[in-house]
């Protein structure tokens, strides 16, 4: 995989911000499934992972309950579906998510990112990666657990989103929270592209400011 082989020192340094040492094998397996990386092709197949073929992307309401039109903070969702062949899912990316840049056109630039991890590092690709973590043929196959979005068990509030919250989850089971993979990947990417180490986040906000007083948008 490209960042293990070419930027392993960045990978290792950033890994400690979001995961525990015992998580390493599972997390690497997750990204190997996503990139289709193999020992003889560590950068991954140019055609992408075969697991992607099990995810159908739609751009209309699907009657799943809470929809893009219902929640102004919702960026995307993924739901498993019963199908033949099995192991399939539907993903919808909300209009708000398309306000996020892709990694090639992010106009923040290294200089504009500053010296700390922040929502300026967010990308549309990060949102898609988050959703893929909920897809059991990738996330659960690699980790042995269904990857969810962490809720505080006492308050039932969403506390698994954003650069600060994801780092705080190291004390629990970080590999069970989808946004840990997103923020880990984004920090590895920008650390490698900008050839620098970023300080810890001082704000939990995302690239797009959400409404209703929430500090981060929601990807389900």
């Amino acid at each position: 995989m490209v960042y293990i082989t070419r930027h392993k020192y960045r990978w290792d340094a950033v890994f400690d911000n979001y995961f525990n040492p015992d998580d390493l094998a599972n997390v690497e397996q997750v990204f190997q499934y996503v990139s289709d990386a193999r020992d003889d092709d560590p950068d991954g197949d140019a055609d992408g992972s075969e697991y992607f073929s099990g995810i159908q992307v739609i751009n209309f309401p699907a009657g799943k309950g809470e929809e893009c039109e219902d929640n102004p903070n919702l960026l995307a969702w993924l739901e498993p579906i019963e199908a033949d062949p099995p192991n399939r899912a539907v993903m919808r990316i909300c209009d708000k998510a398309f306000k996020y840049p892709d990694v090639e056109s992010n106009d923040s630039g290294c200089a504009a990112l500053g010296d700390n991890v922040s929502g300026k590092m967010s990308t549309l690709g990060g949102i898609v990666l988050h959703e893929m973590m909920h897809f059991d043929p990738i996330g659960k196959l690699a980790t042995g657990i269904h990857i969810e979005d962490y809720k505080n068990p006492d308050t039932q509030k969403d506390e698994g989103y954003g650069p600060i919250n994801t780092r705080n989850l190291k004390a629990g089971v970080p590999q069970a929270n989808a946004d840990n993979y997103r923020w880990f990947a984004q920090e590895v990417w920008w650390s490698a592209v900008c050839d620098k180490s970023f300080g810890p986040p001082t704000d939990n906000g995302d690239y797009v400011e959400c409404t209703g007083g929430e500090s981060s948008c929601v990807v389900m």
Side-chain angles (χ1 to χ4, degrees):
M1 189 161 38
V2 64
Y3 287 116
I4 294 180
T5 55
R6 296 181 186 173
H7 302 282
K8 191 173 189 307
Y9 67 104
R10 296 289 186 195
W11 175 284
D12 291 343
V14 176
F15 183 90
D16 290 338
N17 295 333
Y18 298 93
F19 298 100
N20 299 307
D22 290 344
D23 300 328
L24 180 61
N26 288 349
V27 173
E28 288 189 348
Q29 188 67 71
V30 166
F31 283 95
Q32 286 169 352
Y33 286 153
V34 170
S35 66
D36 196 33
R38 302 179 299 275
D39 289 341
D40 60 343
D41 181 20
D43 289 348
D45 191 322
D47 294 330
S49 171
E50 65 181 47
Y51 296 102
F52 297 167
S53 63
I55 301 174
Q56 180 181 3
V57 180
I58 62 174
N59 64 351
F60 52 84
K64 65 168 286 291
E66 188 172 52
E67 271 287 359
C68 301
E69 293 79 8
D70 304 323
N71 184 346
N73 294 329
L74 186 59
L75 298 175
W77 55 259
L78 181 141
E79 286 285 324
I81 57 174
E82 294 185 8
D84 185 16
N87 296 327
R88 303 186 69 82
V90 172
M91 180 194 301
R92 185 180 182 195
I93 302 174
C94 304
D95 289 346
K96 191 165 192 171
F98 288 100
K99 296 181 180 180
Y100 284 64
D102 60 53
V103 293
E104 299 297 334
S105 64
N106 191 321
D107 57 7
S108 294
C110 291
L113 290 177
D115 296 323
N116 295 79
V117 174
S118 73
K120 295 178 181 179
M121 293 180 170
S122 291
T123 63
L124 178 59
I127 295 171
V128 174
L129 175 66
H130 175 116
E131 292 306 324
M132 288 180 178
M133 297 302 95
H134 295 315
F135 189 44
D136 283 349
I138 294 177
K140 187 175 182 179
L141 183 62
T143 65
I145 52 179
H146 176 65
I147 297 176
E148 300 181 313
D149 300 314
Y150 175 78
K151 288 183 180 290
N152 184 307
D154 297 322
T155 64
Q156 289 302 300
K157 289 185 177 180
D158 293 317
E159 295 183 2
Y161 298 105
I164 291 179
N165 284 348
T166 50
R167 288 175 175 230
N168 289 342
L169 287 178
K170 272 195 66 176
V173 187
Q175 63 174 308
N177 184 60
D179 226 34
N180 278 61
Y181 298 86
R182 174 191 172 208
W183 280 98
F184 166 60
Q186 289 174 160
E187 186 175 345
V188 170
W189 168 265
W190 289 115
S191 295
V193 168
C194 301
D195 192 25
K196 65 180 290 186
S197 298
F198 291 89
T202 59
D203 185 275
N204 200 52
D206 217 320
Y207 184 84
V208 172
E209 184 176 353
C210 295
T211 60
E214 297 291 336
S215 60
S216 290
C217 295
V218 178
V219 271
M220 302 181 68

